[in-house]
Amino acid sequence: MWDSSETTLYSMMIFLFMETILEMYLTRRQICVYKQCKTVPRELQHVMNNDTFEKARVYGLDKAHYGMFKMIVCDIVILQLELYFGFMAMVWTRSVEIAENIGLNPKSEIQVGCLFALILNIIGIFKEMPFKIYGTFVLEEKHGFNKQTAGFFVKDQIKAFVVAQALTIPVAAAFIYIVQIGGQYFFIWLWAFVAVVSLVLITIYPVYIAPIFDKFRPLEDGELKKSIHDLASSVKFPLGQLFVVEGSKRSAHSNAYFTGLFGVKRIVLFDTLLVNKGLPADDPSLAESDKGKGCKNEEVLAVLAHELGHWKLGHVAKNIVIMQLQMFLIFLAFSKLFTYGPLYEAVGLPAGEKPILIGFMVIVMYVLAPYNTMISLAMTIMSRRFEYQADGFAQDLGYADELGNALIKLQLDNLGFPVYDWMYSAWNHSHPTVLQRLERLKSLNKEGNKSKTQ
């Protein structure tokens, strides 16, 4: 019979394996949709030609096959081997040795823990890099979305690594320290610390961190800028700044978002969202392939009306509250489980050795995996509901038709495939499909017109 540590190890491995098999099954269902669905849906035949539909179908099929391959390599082979052979314990042991060699205190869990986090992050980069390179320079390049040069990509990865370490290593040190001195109710202090750090990062990210990676420029004065300010004023949105981010240097995909928790907020538009990237049609920097792409002013306003709906309906605040509640429950579970010796022995550590960081990682990533899966599904369902509500908000402002047109344009420009298997979509998509959203907008329009005639 297995002892407690073996039972713990094999239970974690079996659940993670079964979860990956489920995700592969759902992906396989979607691959069948890509292979079988070869005609444009009736609802899109007036705007989507067969050539664009075929490009979207092949793009989706390539991404799905790539996703299947990555799941097999990362989630079935590498993850299972790491668990079975005690990868985390090996890294911890090596961290202790390196700490001693470079003059750190090998008996200080904070110093060894910070080194452990750094080494783990470096190893993670090497594991992930082949997939990033393939995804960017093969998959996205093949379908015309990659805009990064090799030099830009390398600089981007270096900057991301440096910023990540500057943030995670101090947090890891504070995390260990709080657990060590926090007493029986350390999880409350831990939760308060992480809550403050999260809110600070949300506040400073758009101002100090995002500009490290992308160039932001103020939206030029003109009709669009005035219309956005008028729209924000009409719903009492405290708009302070309006920027365009040059996302086209990274990708041809489009987006828009707003940031800021307190006081004035900023709206950020991807240049790929705007017609001709927001530039004059004769601008020499505008490539022929970018001319004519993007949304008209009214459609951009519709997209922003949807985003403002998330703010006005309290979706942002609700997500923050839910996130904080989730963190509290996770820290509470951690406080109850982290002294359980077999957890550490299961991942290869000798009896009696219980590093705090490893305990937290094992509990959050593996022990709580079933709980995380259920919460993730619940959050996906809630997110889809929020998206419908935000669409309804835009419709109430009179942007139903423009939002429908914008959704279609973004679908076409991003080569989004419009048809999805219902099980795959329910599991993976935080947003309803474009066909579902168009149908919902149509029904909202009918209900609105009916109420006006009564």
Side-chain angles (χ1 to χ4, degrees), residues 163-164 167 200-202 204-214 216:
V163 170
L167 295 174
V200 168
L201 286 177
I202 291 172
I204 69 171
Y205 177 83
V207 181
Y208 299 106
I209 300 177
I212 296 174
F213 299 95
D214 294 302
F216 292 76

Side-chain angles (χ1 to χ4, degrees), residues 58-160:
V58 174
Y59 179 47
L61 193 58
D62 285 350
K63 287 198 298 181
H65 282 138
Y66 169 65
M68 289 280 280
F69 173 77
K70 189 174 180 181
M71 278 189 279
I72 292 171
V73 174
C74 295
D75 299 334
I76 291 184
V77 177
I78 295 178
L79 179 59
Q80 296 290 328
L81 289 175
E82 284 182 351
L83 278 171
Y84 186 79
F85 289 107
F87 169 73
M88 272 197 275
M90 295 178 191
V91 176
W92 182 266
T93 301
R94 186 61 178 155
S95 300
V96 173
E97 295 172 356
I98 294 174
E100 190 170 12
N101 292 335
I102 64 175
L104 297 177
N105 181 3
K107 294 184 179 180
S108 168
E109 188 168 345
I110 292 178
Q111 293 183 31
V112 175
C114 290
L115 193 57
F116 169 79
L118 176 62
I119 294 172
L120 212 56
N121 288 339
I122 292 172
I123 293 172
I125 286 177
F126 282 103
K127 286 196 298 185
E128 187 67 25
M129 193 55 63
F131 298 100
K132 282 187 177 180
I133 292 172
Y134 178 86
T136 302
F137 293 103
V138 179
L139 181 59
E140 293 292 298
E141 184 83 27
K142 174 183 176 182
H143 295 279
F145 288 114
N146 175 47
K147 301 298 180 181
Q148 300 182 61
T149 63
F152 181 92
F153 178 83
V154 171
K155 286 191 290 186
D156 207 43
Q157 299 305 310
I158 293 173
K159 287 189 288 186

